[in-house]
Structure formats: C-alpha cells, structure tokens
Amino acid sequence: MHHPLGPLQLGALSLVPTALGGILFGLALAAPPGPMNAVIAEESALRGWRAGFFAGLGAMTADACFFVLAVLGVATVITETPGLRRVMVGAGGLLMLWFAYGAVQEAHTVAGTDPSAAAGDSRGFRKALVLALTNPYQVAFWLTVGVGLLEPGVVDVASYVPAVGTDALTVQTGHPVLLGGFFGGIGLWITGFPAAIVAARTRIERLAPLIAWASAAVLAGTGVLFLLRAL
C-alpha cells in the first residue's frame, strides 16, 4: 500500500540539497593547497593520522571562531582597520617562516626514525590554530562568502548550469543544515586527507621527509608573500 510522504518528510527531503551544498562549500574551503594543508600533510607524514587530524582540527577551530565573530559582526573591525590587517599579515608571514624552519629541522631528523615516536598531537593543533587565526584572508572569507552563508535566503545552484534547469538544486542559506554541512565537509577533509598521506607514507618509506620538505617550501613561500604584502 502506498503511503504519501508527510509534511515533515517532505521538509527533510527539501533540505538534502542544502546539506550537500554545505558539504561542497566546506570541501571547497578546506581542499585547495596552501599553508594549512601543508601543516596537515607534515604532521600526518611525520607523526601519523591522529596528529594530522588534530592539525586539521586546529584549522577548523579557527573557522569556528571566525564564524562566531562573523555572527557577532566583530570581524568587520579587521577589514576596516588597515593597520591591524597589515599587522596580521606580517605576523602570519613570520609564523609561516618559523614553521617552515621547523619543518626543515624535522625533515633532517625524521630520516631513519619512527614517525610515531615523535611529539604529541597538541603541537600540530596549536600550530594550525595560531596560523589560521593570524590569517586575514581567512577572516576575509567569512566576511564575504561566510556572510552570504549566514544570511537567510535561497540560491538556485542549478540555474548556473546549462541544460539543467531551475529548482533542481536549491540551497537555503542561513539554515542550520547548510552550516552543519559546511563544517561536516571540512571534517571529511581533515579526516580523509591525513589518512591518504599516512597510506602513501606506509607504501613509500622515504616519503615522510619529502612531505616535510614540501611543507617547508609551501610555508616559506607563503610567508614571504605575506611579508611582502605587509610591507
């Protein structure tokens, strides 16, 4: 016997595109190469999945802090104060250079040692958290895209795709489901990316120091760019 869907079930089904949109937004923010993923890769290669996950959790915690600041409207002070923004860019650049130096030191010492015997998980968490909190471009994200996610409204994603038609993928902005999917997407990345690094490290014995060197290069290059922009 056919049972029609009730209003609650229809409402839940209508939120599926919103949840998927939130997950895609989260992955789009977390996945691109950059200093955060360099730290996650370094921690995963040198200390294992747990350390890499905690490093990602540090970056995710910073996003949660910026989310709260965006809700309260406090984050706008940073963009409206050029001097403060310049200080943050300079501080972020110096931190990246310092962490790059640490990655080089670890790349030298990790060869021939057991990565699981290295320092604990909290180090990567603190490193990623401080690095993310001093990144004004992460603040800028929450003041642009983030504000758009927070404001109630509707975005028809399908209308931007030819031959798909309208109302095929409607995302409700400002909805808790969208925000939950957003942080869920970040959670998927910080879980899966360290696992992929560890799996590759297990198959290639010498990959850990190479990843540390690559991390140092990304951090150093980004740090120099930050300092140039600050000056």
Side-chain angles (χ1 to χ4, degrees), residues 40-52 110-111 113-119 121 193-212:
I40 295 173
E42 177 196 350
E43 291 293 318
S44 302
L46 300 180
R47 301 179 177 86
W49 177 86
R50 183 182 173 91
V110 74
T113 64
D114 181 10
S116 62
D121 305 322
F193 183 50
I197 294 295
V198 171
R201 185 198 67 184
T202 303
R203 295 183 180 182
I204 307 175
E205 184 179 355
R206 297 184 178 180
L207 189 61
L210 292 177
I211 292 176

Side-chain angles (χ1 to χ4, degrees), residues 156-169:
D156 185 8
V157 179
S159 64
Y160 298 95
V161 182
V164 174
T166 60
D167 298 327
L169 182 57

Side-chain angles (χ1 to χ4, degrees), residues 81-94 134 136 226-227 229-230:
T81 310
L84 178 58
R85 181 182 176 90
R86 181 173 296 178
V87 169
M88 287 187 65
V89 173
L94 291 175
T134 55
F226 270 45
L227 289 177
R229 289 174 181 174

Side-chain angles (χ1 to χ4, degrees), residues 27-28 33 41 48 50 53 60 62 65 75 77-78 85 88 98-99 107 138 146 152 154 163 175 206 217 220 223:
L27 287 172
R50 183 182 173 91
F53 171 76
M60 186 176 178
C65 293
V77 176
I78 296 175
R85 181 182 176 90
M88 287 187 65
W98 175 252
F99 292 150
Q138 210 153 335
V154 174
H175 199 283
R206 297 184 178 180

Side-chain angles (χ1 to χ4, degrees), residues 140-220:
F141 169 86
W142 281 104
L143 291 178
T144 53
V145 179
V147 170
L149 295 178
L150 294 173
E151 291 180 351
V154 174
V155 176
D156 185 8
V157 179
S159 64
Y160 298 95
V161 182
V164 174
T166 60
D167 298 327
L169 182 57
T170 302
V171 174
Q172 300 181 31
T173 59
H175 199 283
V177 170
L178 177 68
L179 299 175
F182 177 81
F183 284 101
I186 298 177
L188 286 175
W189 179 258
I190 67 173
T191 302
F193 183 50
I197 294 295
V198 171
R201 185 198 67 184
T202 303
R203 295 183 180 182
I204 307 175
E205 184 179 355
R206 297 184 178 180
L207 189 61
L210 292 177
I211 292 176
W213 277 106
S215 173
V218 171
L219 290 170

Side-chain angles (χ1 to χ4, degrees), residues 9-59:
Q9 291 172 305
L10 288 174
L13 287 176
S14 67
L15 291 176
V16 171
T18 299
L20 293 176
I23 292 173
L24 291 176
F25 281 133
L27 287 172
L29 173 65
M36 291 298 103
N37 279 328
V39 172
I40 295 173
E42 177 196 350
E43 291 293 318
S44 302
L46 300 180
R47 301 179 177 86
W49 177 86
R50 183 182 173 91
F53 171 76
F54 270 83
L57 196 61

